[in-house]
Structure formats: structure tokens, C-alpha cells
Amino acid sequence: MATSMFATILTVCRKELVDHLRDKRTATMIVLLSIAMGPIVLFGFAQFISSIEKKAEAREVFVMGKENAPQLVNFFARQDVTIKDPKPDFRDLIKTGKHDPVLVIPKDFSEKFLTGNADVELVYDDTRQDSGNVSIGVLRRLMRGFNAEVTNQRLIARGVSPQIAKVVEVRDVNMGTPAQRAAQLLFMIPFITLIVCVTGCTAVAIDMTAGERERGSMEPLLMNPVDRGALVTGKWMAVGIYGIGVVALTLIGFAITLKFLPMPKLETVMSITWLQFAGFGVTMLSFAPAMGALQMLIATYGRTFKEAQTYVSYLITAVSMLPALTIFAQLKDATWQLFVPMLGQLMVITRILRGDPVDATHFLIPFAINAAITVVAIVTISKLLTKEKIIFGRA
Amino acid sequence: MIEVRDLKKQFGEVKAVDGVSFTAQSGAITGLLGPNGAGKTTTIRMIGTLIAIDSGKIKIGNVDVAADPDGARRACGLLTDSRGLYTRMTARENIRYYADLRGIDPARSEKTLARFVEWLDMKDILDRRTEGFSQGERMKVAITRALIHEPGTVILDEPTNGLDVMSTRALRDLIKRLKAEGQTVMFSSHVMQEVAALCDEIVIIAHGRVTAQGTTQQLLEMSGRDNLEDAFVVLAGIPDEQREAA
């Protein structure tokens, strides 16, 4: 009746896979988190981008008091810009993000224009991160153009070359490749997929540890003459397979959405290749199982599913916060980040998306860290399963 | 045969088991009788290798439990009050899982299973998912699962707790059948009638110690009482003022 460790691992893994495939809770999580995630996020994102581009293209601006400045209106018209009247209470509306920026022309504009000290007001709210920012840019550019034109005319009228007013001419040369700009916009794909690496197997990891304790099946399970390390390894393998499966589904969801959803505006920015997707896959192949092992370890301390859920949510919060840290701290890519779970993965995937070079260390260091996390977690859980407090401690 | 010698276990300040010694003879039914908190469950969990022994010795047959826990796990089948089943799996799958973990040949475990199905009348529940099983149905599955490796020694901790009359009877019949097959059976209980009706020998435990051991007749003589309930109260060392309640 001697069983090899390998046989034990397989038996446990197979049982957990079957058991959890039948779990509606797990199934719902998988469907919600992975399959629907790609389409929802990308579709929303596409809407956002095309609304920005539409505004930039439409060249519609809101001007208050256009009757006070026929010169300006004439200039706008020549630039193919349509002038629209703002709503009377636009100042309040701008504050709540319900109105685009407005150019306000005072009544005495024409008078002052002749003496050369006219002014206009640009009303906007720079704390709002919406598409209104595009309109500010358009209005600013128009006003610069108008100023330049009038200045030139006045200089010529006085017999001076307009060149004299242009000490230095600035020409824009943007070195960012479209791929880099796309990476900035697409940071959500790696971020969401990495979060899915953690949350995708949470329910399964908790059920196999705290759940087993809660339903009182841990004690009889440990009465079997099997190695506890093998028992935990079998459970971990099942968690890992679920984790990888959910991540794969998420990536496939993104891929299908990118390929088939009619989003012409995004085609240029969102041209992720299959090779890039493969790069994501490799990066997450070890991350998801490692996060599964870590969650199993944390959940082992929970006497009930609920209790374990609370503990695990601390980890999920921490992992979700890390990427925000890179934004606030303005981190540049550095080797040390590869040693930090989540940061390392995020860095590698962002590099892949940006088209920056990626070498073996970018994959090997995070892999080694993930392997270490997994081994430590499995060994610790196996030890915990000999502790009376863990085996018998029931809520 | 189960031999327990001077077994001790302390949880913090509490001496849960304080020098318990007894022998459960081969092929006999031994009852572990004692009030709640006497140390029965802790003793059984130590025999079942679930709790480490502070001091003392336990042998199941020739196996020293502390030295060879896996050997002990093979030698005995243990049913504790943790009878959790996997609710998304059928009764058969629950039992099969343990048979596979123990590396039992499927043909052989099927045969063992068939025997238990007949004894415990489980035909109707065998291929149903265990979600929503009654206490009695859960007990039947749990006990089959615990004994699927046909151990020579069977240990049951308060097996009739929470069971209705019919399930209790089924369990009693099972215990008798196991004995008839020559197995060593030990079970704990705080219900005297149950112990008296089944056991060849009774071990009374109170405050972490064995206060008496013998057949029903011997216990009556030792206590000088003419009914078991009184004998138990006397032998368990329950003070006079609490005897009314006991």
C-alpha cells in the first residue's frame, strides 16, 4: 500500500481540479474576471480614445462674446474652426466636468486690441482628467496663431521684418515611437492581467486550505499515510493550473477583442503581436502559481473561508498598490525591480509592449524569485499542517 | 491490540491527558467512557497521530505510533468528530479519493466499498453528491472512507453524536460486524447504555486519568452500585453535588 510522493501529488491535484471545476463560485470568477475582462476594458478604452480624437478633429471651440472680436472670429473661420456658444452657466458646469473649456472675450476687446493690450480669458479646470484637456490645447494653439499673425502684420506695417520677432524657432520632433505611446495607453492590459494572476486563483486557494479546515475535512485527510509536502504540492499544482488557465483566458480575451472588435481608431496604437502575447504568457507562467502558493499559505491561517478571504485581501491590495508606487515614485526601469514580485513582471511586460529590448535576465530573475516564493510557501504550509492549532482550530 | 502507557499531553496550563494507560484487546470492542472534557478525544487523536505525544507510549499491534506515524495510519482507521466531506463530489468519489491516497488497488477498494454499501445501506446515496446529506448519511460515508484500507484496528470518537435512532442502529450493527470479522474496535462515548450494550471492556476516563477498567460486571462490583449509571458516576469520580446533574 506504499504510495509514492508522485502518485500522491497526482491524486490530490486531480481531485482538486475536478472538485473545483464543479464549483459555481470558481466558474463565475473565471468568467467574470477573465473572459469578459478583455472586451469590457478595451471597449471602454476605445470609446475614450475615439472621443478624444473626435474632439481634436472636430475643431469645435466654445467662445463667449464672439460679437466683441470680429478679427478673432474671422481668424477662427479661416482656420476651419467652428465657434459654438457656451451654455449660460458654463462656469459651474466646467467645475463638474460637464462643459468643455470656454474662451471668454470681454466687451472692450476691440477697443483694447487697437491699442495693443487686449486680453481674453481661458476658462477650464485642470484637475479634471477628461477629454476637455484636448480643447484647451486647441484653443491655446489658435490664440498663439492669432497673436503671431497680428504681430507679423504690425511689424510689416512698420517696415520691420517679422523674422526679428522670431529669435528661436521651435520645431517639434517627438522621438516616442507609436509603440511607446501605445504602451503608455495600454498599461492596463499588463496591469489587469497581473492582478488576474493574483485574483484568478484566490477562491480555489482559499477553499483548499481554509475551506478544508472549515468543512472539517482537513483532519481526516491528514490521517492518510501520505507525505504532507506531497499533499500540499498536489493542491498547489491544482491552484497553479487554475491560475495559469485564468490568465491564459484573460490574454485570449484581450487578443480576440483586439483582433475582432471594430475599433479603427485603435488599430494603429493597439498592434500587439502574437510574440508579445507570448512574452506576457511566459512572464506570468511562474507568477500566477507563485501568487497561488502565497495565497494558500496566507489562507491556511484562516479557520473559515471568510476569515481567509480577509487575510488574502491584504495581499491583493498590496499587490495592486505596487504599480501605483512606480507611477508616484517615477521609477525608471532598474534591475532591482526584477527582484520584486509584481514590479518585475510589470516592468518586463511594459518593456515588451514598448518594444524595448528584453533579455534572458528579464525572465530568469522573476522566475527564480517566483520559484523561491513557491518552495517557501509549500514547505511552510506542510509544517503548519502538523500544528494542532491549524488542524483542529475550527471556528 | 492497542496499548497505551502513561500517556500525557498538556495544552498550555491544562493537563488534558495526565498519565492514561489501558489496553484494548485484539478482536474485542473497548469503550472509552468519560464525561465531556475528560481527555477521550485528545487520547484518541494521539493514537491517531494527529496530536504529538508529550510523554508515554502508544502501540497499535506492533507499530509504535510516535516512531512510525505512517505505519500507525495504515494500521488503524480513525473516525473523529471531523467528518467533513467534499460536497461537490459524490459519496463514491469521496471514498475513492482516500483509497487512491492510500494507494489501494481500485479492484480491491471496490470490493471493500461494496461490503460497506451493503452493511450501511448506502446504495441510494453512493453516486449522489454529498451536498445536503443528513448527519447519518455523512457518518456512513465518513466511516467507509476511514476504513477503506481494511485496517485491523478501528477507532471511533463519539460516533453516535448527532445521529438519529436508525443511523445509531446501523452504526451499532457495523461495530458488531467488524468485531465478528476479528477486528479490534475502540470507541469513545459519554453515553453509558451505548457502551454497556456493545463493549467487551470499558475504560472510564475522568480528568485526564483512567479511573477504572473492566467488564460491565466488574465495574458494577468495583463501584458497589447495582446500575451502570450510578457506577459510572462513582467511578468517574464526579463529586456528590454534581451527580444529580450528570
Side-chain angles (χ1 to χ4, degrees):
Chain A
M1 292 208 301
T3 48
S4 70
M5 293 213 2
F6 189 64
T8 304
I9 293 172
L10 279 187
T11 302
V12 174
C13 179
R14 194 180 55 217
K15 178 262 163 189
E16 296 294 0
L17 284 177
V18 170
D19 191 0
H20 288 92
L21 266 180
R22 294 178 184 171
D23 183 8
K24 288 201 187 81
R25 194 157 45 183
T26 311
T28 318
M29 280 292 273
I30 288 175
V31 171
L32 277 186
L33 270 176
S34 46
I35 299 168
M37 186 70 87
I40 291 171
V41 168
L42 287 183
F43 192 73
F45 193 59
Q47 291 293 320
F48 179 68
I49 291 193
S50 53
S51 79
I52 288 178
E53 296 195 343
K54 219 184 280 163
K55 272 197 187 120
E57 264 174 20
R59 297 172 76 86
E60 285 179 348
V61 292
F62 287 98
V63 177
M64 181 79 197
K66 63 182 177 194
E67 62 283 355
N68 301 328
Q71 313 87 329
L72 199 54
V73 172
N74 173 280
F75 176 79
F76 278 21
R78 278 184 284 122
Q79 303 294 322
D80 253 349
V81 172
T82 314
I83 295 176
K84 287 169 81 178
D85 290 322
K87 295 197 176 120
D89 54 344
F90 66 88
R91 279 172 205 272
D92 290 331
L93 290 172
I94 285 174
K95 265 190 207 157
T96 53
K98 288 176 187 143
H99 203 292
D100 279 345
V102 176
L103 185 73
V104 181
I105 303 172
K107 279 203 163 54
D108 55 1
F109 179 87
S110 287
E111 251 171 66
K112 285 187 169 175
F113 180 73
L114 292 174
T115 57
N117 57 355
D119 55 6
V120 292
E121 249 177 10
L122 188 51
V123 184
Y124 63 95
D125 182 349
D126 73 347
T127 60
R128 304 209 63 90
Q129 290 293 323
D130 51 34
S131 53
N133 293 345
V134 176
S135 304
I136 304 171
V138 172
L139 279 169
R140 285 229 173 92
R141 257 198 318 280
L142 284 170
M143 287 313 296
R144 267 203 303 275
F146 179 68
N147 270 332
E149 189 183 270
V150 175
T151 311
N152 285 352
Q153 285 166 357
R154 288 182 179 175
L155 285 172
I156 291 166
R158 285 166 178 75
V160 182
S161 163
Q163 224 28 61
I164 212 146
K166 275 189 192 166
V167 181
V168 179
E169 190 174 359
V170 180
R171 267 175 290 135
D172 286 342
V173 183
N174 190 347
M175 292 298 285
T177 63
Q180 280 170 325
R181 280 196 294 279
Q184 272 183 334
L185 296 173
L186 288 179
F187 77 97
M188 306 178 175
I189 294 187
F191 179 66
I192 286 169
T193 322
L194 284 169
I195 295 290
V196 167
C197 279
V198 185
T199 55
C201 55
T202 301
V204 181
I206 294 177
D207 193 68
M208 281 184 204
T209 49
E212 193 109 66
R213 285 177 67 181
E214 184 176 15
R215 76 176 92 80
S217 52
M218 185 67 97
E219 198 181 320
L221 181 64
L222 294 176
M223 266 302 294
N224 290 303
V226 292
D227 185 86
R228 290 179 194 207
L231 202 68
V232 178
T233 306
K235 283 171 175 280
W236 166 76
M237 258 173 66
V239 170
I241 290 172
Y242 271 106
I244 291 170
V246 174
V247 170
L249 283 174
T250 309
L251 284 177
I252 291 170
F254 276 124
I256 291 174
T257 315
L258 287 175
K259 196 153 179 62
F260 294 110
L261 266 198
M263 295 184 291
K265 291 280 173 237
L266 292 181
E267 260 166 28
T268 44
V269 269
M270 292 194 175
S271 51
I272 299 177
T273 64
W274 290 107
L275 197 70
Q276 285 173 320
F277 261 107
F280 300 169
V282 170
T283 309
M284 299 184 180
L285 212 57
S286 64
F287 185 58
M291 289 297 106
L294 201 56
Q295 291 179 85
M296 279 173 70
L297 173 59
I298 295 169
T300 303
Y301 287 99
R303 282 165 302 187
T304 63
F305 196 96
K306 272 235 164 94
E307 193 184 340
Q309 231 167 4
T310 312
Y311 299 158
V312 170
S313 70
Y314 299 143
L315 175 79
I316 295 176
T317 310
V319 170
S320 323
M321 298 294 268
L322 271 179
L325 194 85
T326 60
I327 296 169
F328 288 129
Q330 300 273 311
L331 289 182
K332 297 264 183 302
D333 287 5
T335 312
W336 69 264
Q337 286 182 49
L338 292 173
F339 291 90
V340 184
M342 189 72 185
L343 281 192
Q345 278 74 22
L346 194 65
M347 179 180 130
V348 173
I349 290 176
T350 313
R351 285 183 77 90
I352 294 174
L353 267 179
R354 265 202 318 245
D356 287 349
V358 180
D359 60 40
T361 56
H362 286 111
F363 293 104
L364 289 179
I365 294 175
F367 178 83
I369 297 291
N370 288 333
I373 290 174
T374 306
V375 170
V376 169
I378 289 178
V379 170
T380 313
I381 298 169
S382 308
K383 288 235 172 77
L384 283 175
L385 290 188
T386 61
K387 297 242 186 304
E388 288 138 24
K389 213 172 66 192
I390 298 289
I391 309 173
F392 305 115
R394 282 163 73 182
Chain B
M1 190 166 74
I2 305 169
E3 274 183 87
V4 177
R5 288 289 158 262
D6 203 21
L7 197 61
K8 286 185 182 168
K9 181 73 190 182
Q10 197 162 343
F11 296 111
E13 291 296 297
V14 184
K15 287 180 179 167
V17 175
D18 190 17
V20 164
S21 300
F22 64 85
T23 304
Q25 296 297 339
S26 291
I29 302 174
T30 305
L32 216 53
L33 186 64
N36 292 330
K40 302 187 298 282
T41 296
T42 306
T43 302
I44 284 177
R45 279 175 172 168
M46 281 193 278
I47 299 172
T49 72
L50 288 166
I51 294 183
I53 299 167
D54 280 355
S55 71
K57 206 171 183 69
I58 303 171
K59 281 182 89 176
I60 302 174
N62 296 321
V63 181
D64 183 329
V65 169
D68 181 12
D70 272 351
R73 287 172 193 143
R74 284 187 204 102
C76 79
L78 170 64
L79 180 76
T80 67
D81 66 335
S82 288
R83 296 166 201 174
L85 303 175
Y86 302 107
T87 53
R88 295 181 292 265
M89 297 169 75
T90 66
R92 188 195 293 274
E93 287 168 333
N94 268 281
I95 297 162
R96 170 62 68 72
Y97 180 40
Y98 276 38
D100 288 346
L101 281 176
R102 286 177 176 275
I104 303 169
D105 178 58
R108 178 157 187 180
S109 66
E110 274 304 313
K111 243 187 210 165
T112 315
L113 176 60
R115 235 160 16 115
F116 277 94
V117 167
E118 198 201 313
W119 286 351
L120 293 170
D121 190 24
M122 292 198 292
K123 219 177 293 158
D124 295 336
I125 60 167
L126 193 59
D127 290 304
R128 254 174 52 200
R129 289 196 189 177
T130 61
E131 173 104 66
F133 269 25
S134 70
Q135 286 266 22
E137 288 166 337
R138 279 213 292 273
M139 179 276 293
K140 288 174 181 180
V141 178
I143 204 164
T144 308
R145 180 175 76 172
L147 304 181
I148 194 67
H149 58 298
E150 303 172 272
T153 305
V154 178
I155 304 168
L156 312 168
D157 189 13
E158 309 250 5
T160 55
N161 254 10
L163 296 187
D164 61 12
V165 181
M166 289 311 290
S167 307
T168 306
R169 280 178 78 157
L171 188 80
R172 251 187 246 149
D173 291 343
L174 177 73
I175 291 175
K176 284 181 194 155
R177 279 188 161 124
L178 291 170
K179 183 195 170 183
E181 288 196 334
Q183 306 215 35
T184 307
V185 182
M186 190 181 92
F187 75 91
S188 71
S189 176
H190 59 269
V191 184
M192 265 145 316
Q193 290 79 353
E194 194 173 87
V195 175
L198 278 170
C199 296
D200 300 304
E201 203 166 38
I202 300 169
V203 178
I204 296 181
I205 295 189
H207 307 296
R209 294 163 177 277
V210 174
T211 53
Q213 175 168 11
T215 61
T216 313
Q217 197 53 44
Q218 285 167 338
L219 291 179
L220 285 174
E221 282 166 15
M222 265 186 253
S223 65
R225 305 294 158 111
D226 56 3
N227 72 76
L228 260 174
E229 192 168 305
D230 287 348
F232 169 58
V233 170
V234 169
L235 293 170
I238 298 170
D240 280 330
E241 59 270 23
Q242 285 176 28
R243 286 184 187 177
E244 283 299 306

